[in-house]
Amino acid sequence: GVMTQTALCFDTRPQSATERVAELFRSRPNVWISALELETVGGRLAWRTECSRCHTQFGMTITKRLDYEVGKVVRSWRRYEPKASS
């Protein structure tokens, strides 16, 4: 018989930090994700900007939650809230 090889096509372009953060949000809709986890994909000093870009570039609704302890922020969270389909 004749052997054939299936060609696999992979997108080899590197993802931007915004695309990585958006992918994380889309993989867990309506789930609070900690700032510590977001910074692993969005960057230590850039994850908040990347969350904002998810909204401006992809139209994603991102909600913020802050947990406080005696007047100071202890934890920061974000959640992607997909639009309800009609």
Side-chain angles (χ1 to χ4, degrees):
V2 176
M3 292 185 75
T4 60
Q5 182 177 0
T6 303
L8 299 176
C9 296
F10 294 100
D11 186 352
T12 57
R13 292 173 297 170
Q15 280 188 310
S16 70
T18 305
E19 290 168 326
R20 290 191 307 269
V21 169
E23 186 175 288
L24 175 62
F25 280 131
R26 288 183 188 118
S27 73
R28 290 193 262 164
N30 298 307
V31 174
W32 290 106
I33 302 174
S34 74
L36 293 174
E37 186 171 0
L38 286 164
E39 73 182 29
T40 64
V41 295
R44 175 73 173 109
L45 300 175
W47 69 270
R48 287 177 294 273
T49 300
E50 302 311 336
C51 289
S52 178
R53 287 180 179 158
C54 285
H55 173 71
T56 58
Q57 291 181 14
F58 303 126
M60 300 172 78
T61 300
I62 308 296
T63 303
K64 174 171 71 171
R65 183 181 95 200
L66 301 174
D67 293 342
Y68 294 92
E69 180 180 290
V70 192
K72 78 174 200 181
V73 176
V74 178
R75 290 211 172 123
S76 181
W77 306 83
R78 299 296 188 277
R79 176 174 69 184
Y80 165 53
E81 299 174 355
K83 294 175 177 68
S85 45
S86 307

